[in-house]
Amino acid sequence: MTVEAYLQSQKERVDRRLAQLIRTEIPQFSGLYEAMNYSLNAGGKRIRPILFLSVLEALGKDPAGYLDLACALECVHSYSLIHDDLPAMDDDDYRRGKPTNHRVYGEGTAILAGDGLLTYAFELMAAQRQPEPAKLLEAIHVFARAAGPAGMVGGQFFDLASTDAPRIGLDELKLMHRSKTGIIFAAVVDMAAILAAAAAGVRAALAAYADNLGLAFQITDDILDVTGDESVLGKPVGSDEKNHKTTYVTLLSPAGAKKEAAAAAEKARLALAGFGENARILRDLVGYLEKRAQ
């Protein structure tokens, strides 16, 4: 199976389950749940849940029993996008080819929809019965730290504080990108390693893979914000320039950013050198993400 076919199959699997999850029997809350579902089921590649399921597979675990955990990861991602798009953040009008949540439901409801998705994600994680309780608790702890003020939220604050400020340097940009994106990739991969009871050496190799995959992914996003096709991306290009943000493109030029992305992608592949055929999809995923900027 090609990586494209694999990703499509897993995406459909995740999409079907996501469409079943957000429900209420309280009529007065229906508008909130509609707003949550609007963003959660708006499409997207579902890279984070698929990465989680793929690592489980590579480590010899049947991913079928972990689908709700994977869906919880996507709930957190959707919350982050709703909040990123708000006028107080990136002030974007389109996401995944549709008007952003606040453009449809208003800022107040959009904030609550994001809050609801974030909190529901941890409710969904804690309700799982498949993993051993101690391993599940460790996995939730890893993800909560990555998604909170020590990780994604902290990175978003740094991004916001850097807007319209003097241009930051490459080391600071790497910190921002790792906090906003890379740390979530790392947490998703480590969660799977924990649940699969992977040995310390395996976890370390997967951590190196995830760090570099996340870096390549974020650099590629910077490139696409300049060179991408809005009709393909489903969101406006040029948002970084509009918000006066420092990116790999502004620091290194488009050619320099592509070189950095390629170097990170190669490091990600090298980290999987000892995994054999079981990690084929993980290796192919690197190439798939690289192609986004070509």
Side-chain angles (χ1 to χ4, degrees):
M1 180 184 293
T2 66
V3 67
E4 290 82 5
Y6 177 87
L7 291 172
Q8 183 61 30
S9 172
Q10 292 288 60
K11 171 181 156 50
E12 290 171 1
R13 186 180 183 189
V14 170
D15 282 347
R16 284 193 298 269
R17 183 57 180 151
L18 287 172
Q20 299 169 350
L21 287 174
I22 308 295
R23 297 283 185 269
T24 183
E25 296 178 358
I26 305 174
Q28 293 87 345
F29 296 176
S30 61
L32 170 63
Y33 280 69
E34 179 185 327
M36 292 165 68
N37 274 306
Y38 175 82
S39 291
L40 184 62
N41 295 301
K45 294 181 177 64
R46 313 302 193 194
I47 293 296
R48 291 150 191 84
I50 293 173
L51 179 60
F52 171 71
L53 295 172
S54 299
V55 174
L56 284 169
E57 262 187 323
L59 296 175
K61 278 280 186 182
D62 181 357
Y66 299 87
L67 182 59
D68 277 4
L69 275 170
C71 289
L73 304 176
E74 190 65 20
C75 288
V76 173
H77 182 53
S78 292
Y79 125 77
S80 73
L81 298 181
I82 292 173
H83 283 194
D84 278 358
D85 291 335
L86 288 167
M89 297 290 185
D90 289 347
D91 193 16
D92 282 326
D93 292 334
Y94 289 91
R95 170 74 65 176
R96 293 170 174 169
K98 299 171 64 176
T100 46
N101 199 290
H102 68 274
R103 296 293 295 171
V104 177
Y105 298 100
E107 285 185 58
T109 297
I111 291 168
L112 292 173
D115 293 345
L117 286 168
L118 173 62
T119 311
Y120 176 74
F122 288 99
E123 176 187 342
L124 190 58
M125 288 183 189
Q128 299 313 296
R129 295 292 177 263
Q130 172 82 1
E132 179 185 322
K135 287 188 173 63
L136 178 63
L137 181 62
E138 185 181 357
I140 292 174
H141 178 260
V142 164
F143 189 74
R145 180 172 176 78
M152 184 173 69
V153 175
Q156 183 63 25
F157 169 78
F158 184 27
D159 189 3
L160 190 63
S162 301
T163 301
D164 291 324
R167 180 175 287 186
I168 62 175
L170 186 58
D171 287 343
E172 289 179 304
L173 184 61
K174 286 181 177 179
L175 170 65
M176 182 192 297
H177 279 352
R178 187 179 192 283
S179 300
K180 286 185 62 178
T181 304
I183 200 167
I184 297 296
F185 277 63
V188 163
V189 169
D190 200 34
M191 285 176 72
I194 290 165
L195 296 172
V202 171
R203 281 182 70 176
L206 287 170
Y209 166 78
D211 280 344
N212 286 289
L213 182 70
L215 178 58
F217 184 89
Q218 185 59 59
I219 296 173
T220 300
D221 261 9
D222 284 359
I223 296 168
L224 289 173
D225 192 68
V226 176
T227 65
D229 183 335
E230 189 170 312
S231 65
V232 175
L233 294 176
K235 61 180 180 179
V237 297
S239 177
D240 291 334
E241 182 179 7
K242 178 189 77 173
N243 292 314
H244 309 292
K245 290 187 177 183
T246 302
T247 69
Y248 276 87
V249 173
T250 61
L251 281 181
L252 302 176
S253 80
K258 285 185 179 182
K259 185 176 178 180
E260 284 287 317
E266 183 59 22
K267 287 178 183 177
R269 278 188 284 265
L270 287 172
L272 298 175
F275 283 74
E277 183 59 23
N278 285 349
R280 181 182 65 82
I281 289 295
L282 298 181
R283 287 191 199 90
D284 289 350
L285 182 59
V286 179
Y288 173 82
L289 294 179
E290 268 189 295
K291 288 178 186 175
R292 294 165 68 233
Q294 294 176 358

